[in-house]
Amino acid sequence: MAFRRLLSFNHVGNNFCRKYCQGVASRDPSLYFFSSRVQELLFQLNDRQHDLVFKPRKLGQKLEAPQYVFMTDEDLDKERRRIEQRLREKLQVPPVLGPRKPIERVLAKDPRLEGLHDSKLLCIDISPDLSDRKRMITAREPDGTLRTANWHERGRINQIFLPVDGRTVTMPKMFEEPHLTECLDREEYVSVLDRACVQFEPDDPDYIRVTSATYDHVDAARLYERLQSTRHFGALAFYLAWHRRIDNLLLYFIQLEKLDQAVKLIHLYRLLRSAEPISDQTPPTRQESSQSDGFSSSSESGSESESSSSDSDSDSEGVQLDIIRDYIENASVKRPVLELALQNFQHLSAERRRVEREQRRADGRQ
Amino acid sequence: MSANELWKGVTGVSNAGRKRGRGRGAGVKRRRDLNRGQVIGVGKVNMMWPGLNAPVLRNGELVRQQSQPRDEQRESRLQAIRDQFTDQRSFKLTPLERGWSGNRLPGRSIGPPDAVDFETFEGFDTTVLELKTVFSMTATAGRTRHISCFAVTGNGAGLVGYGLGKGNTGMAAIKQCKRRAGQRLIYVERCDGHTVFHDFFTRFAAVRIFVERRPRGHGLQCHRAIREICHRVGISDLYAKVEGPTDNVQSITKAFFLGLLRQRTHQQLADEKRLHLVELRPEADNYPRLVASPGGAPVRSKEQIPADEELDFQLHIFEGKVPLKMPPKQPFYMKLPCYQTHLNKVKHLKNQEQVRVSLLAEHGEVRSFLADQYPECRAASAALWAEKRQAAEDDQEQDEM
């Protein structure tokens, strides 16, 4: 029965809280996620193509003809800076938190109230200046117990009295099986993730379950480009690095000759493996600083091709190849595939350099 | 009396009457050839006449006159043949071929202009905008009648032209106007291949047209003549308001053509202002897309722009004028106090449709939390659909097994 299904949801959701704690001794990802170094890496790993980030979206609104504005060079620069700021906002990665802990607490027991009501009563403080997570919500059971509401009840009551646009009171069917798998099989990753961000809080076990299932599906299908230039790519990279499954994504970067992205991914993996959570006060390691000297992060696009023939670039390419090779030898699972890909890249890049040299020689003679 | 004389007597119209158009149209008696369907020698009396409708000798023997049984169907057969030629057949047009009204030509296509020398007018199509009978008084013949045809031709890719033709017959007028339309082609620039570059105002004679650019997919929301011209030009999204005589198709066409020719492309605007032209789309989060930069001269800086210069795009396009936009007219009852009473009465129904849809989506039926306790409150169809759903699920499970 549909109504009974709703009641059982709370206990089903709690079983998935183990996902982020598997095999890593219940580490809290939020202690690593919010560090500025990790955030910068997640931003740099994204393609950040303007025409995809600012794609015209059909959201059921009435279309109007575009506006035109005359601008000087200064106005144009100001707009470009505003766009960079807006890009950062749009590509802000949804927070990665561990699953939330239960917050039920019995406030009072009044057995004399038993039989007064045949259903549970919930009370909510609807003062507008309170945070939805902090506002007081209590429940009176039919047997007279007065307790604080659990997370499931809190979510429902908050949505009824202080609704968030786009959220439903009960969880949409698309987040349950088999519908979730059907959506993912249709490769609707971005819409599933966008709706999950609206529907759930980041520490909701259902949010963690849905996003983990999506990232696993993307990783299995190798369809990383679907999430590129969206805010979910950073979350995907964090998830894969946290669970030590970066090999497929690394292979994707190497095959696309995006060596600096590959190096950033390895760097993220190393940061998340460290036993102590990173604080912004910890000084960067020697490796990190050498990387930051070698290649400056470009603002327009994060993936410059490494096929320049000047010496300094080939040196930095050498450094990048060393870092990648070091990871492949020591930490990778799919070692032969990655080594082959790296070999192919080196061969291609050497061929390219040779052709360019001959071209220059030919031009010089002419 | 001969057939001609008999028929003239029945259907005849005097010369004066003919000039006034009598003896035309539906319901008038038309002459019919009564010989059709008849054979010599066969009539009401069915007889075999050797030498006429039978051979004289058959097997060496003389054939004799013989009466044959009456042909009952002869009358009705002849009548059917005669009816065939009497009805003025009104031919049916498919919706795509149809013009603006009935089977009339205005709004209908008359094909591309005829080829001249090497110009084959490939990809062109012509639409008739007006076909009318015009009279003029002449010194010798008095009132003379001509047919006037006004049409527009175009290839859907920016080339378009209009032409006026007059002739004694419709065909002559159409031919002349099609030829002239093909001789007087202009090239119209379109923005993104589907609309005008900017809103504009245009006028010719007493006709005034306010044209507005619309986004892709909007369609042509305008006077039917302007719609046909847009089809020929290749504009698919536009709004146009015609003020003044809306029946003067020729003036409307000329006004619209003037407006299209006077359009300024993005590059022209950037060049004349010596400033960058940037496009902002609300659906793309107002991302500033640079569409044109000044070509020859460098971009002006803020200091070089005089304080009184018009920098607003719409005001620059309309040269300081602003089209008057009246607020949409509200129905009379919205001002009355009883309307508020009505709104209060129906406000609980406002969300009803959405609630029904979400209940159906979630539970498969429209129900309340009391439906389990009071089964008689459930919809009669609910149980039936629950059964069907269960049967479908069972079938699916069986298929999987």
Side-chain angles (χ1 to χ4, degrees), chain B residues 90-283:
Chain B
S90 58
F91 52 100
K92 271 204 142 163
L93 290 172
T94 64
L96 287 174
E97 291 169 337
R98 254 179 238 149
W100 294 337
S101 176
N103 288 346
R104 302 201 194 315
L105 262 186
R108 287 185 62 198
S109 160
I110 50 173
D114 298 325
V116 175
D117 287 344
F118 48 84
E119 181 57 67
T120 53
F121 290 108
E122 209 171 299
F124 275 77
D125 191 18
T126 323
T127 317
V128 172
L129 295 181
E130 196 177 55
L131 185 73
K132 57 188 181 182
T133 314
V134 292
F135 292 89
S136 68
M137 291 302 269
T138 47
T140 42
R143 211 154 160 257
T144 53
R145 183 169 162 265
H146 298 100
I147 311 286
S148 158
C149 180
F150 186 70
V152 66
T153 191
N155 68 352
L159 278 177
V160 68
Y162 66 82
L164 177 69
K166 287 189 189 166
N168 288 329
T169 63
M171 282 314 299
I174 287 165
K175 263 204 176 119
Q176 188 182 61
C177 91
K178 208 159 62 160
R179 186 172 62 240
R180 284 180 174 169
Q183 284 169 344
R184 292 157 172 72
L185 294 173
I186 58 161
Y187 180 68
V188 169
E189 295 264 13
R190 296 166 299 154
C191 183
D192 296 339
H194 76 103
T195 190
V196 290
F197 280 92
H198 50 78
D199 302 351
F200 59 82
F201 169 76
T202 171
R203 64 174 356 142
F204 181 86
V207 168
R208 302 172 299 284
I209 312 179
F210 290 88
V211 173
E212 286 177 23
R213 184 194 161 138
R214 283 290 182 268
R216 206 180 278 277
H218 181 90
L220 293 168
Q221 189 183 355
C222 51
H223 190 285
R224 63 190 186 183
I226 298 179
R227 201 180 59 223
E228 290 305 325
I229 300 167
C230 287
H231 283 320
R232 298 287 77 80
V233 171
I235 290 172
S236 51
D237 308 288
L238 193 87
Y239 169 79
K241 175 85 186 93
V242 174
E243 283 178 9
T246 58
D247 51 355
N248 194 335
V249 169
Q250 293 185 35
S251 291
I252 289 171
T253 308
K254 288 169 189 173
F256 192 58
F257 266 65
L258 273 173
L260 289 177
L261 281 170
R262 288 206 192 113
Q263 269 188 103
R264 283 170 279 180
T265 64
H266 291 152
Q267 190 57 54
Q268 283 169 346
L269 285 164
D271 290 337
E272 76 188 31
K273 272 286 201 197
R274 279 178 50 213
L275 288 169
H276 297 292
L277 188 63
V278 169
E279 178 188 89
L280 305 167
R281 284 179 188 265
E283 70 269 15

Side-chain angles (χ1 to χ4, degrees), chain A residues 50 67-68 71 73 86 173, chain B residues 276 278-280 285 287 361:
Chain A
H50 284 212
Q67 307 260 325
Y68 288 91
M71 284 189 184
D73 281 333
R86 186 81 190 110
K173 285 208 176 89
Chain B
H276 297 292
V278 169
E279 178 188 89
L280 305 167
D285 209 1
Y287 180 79

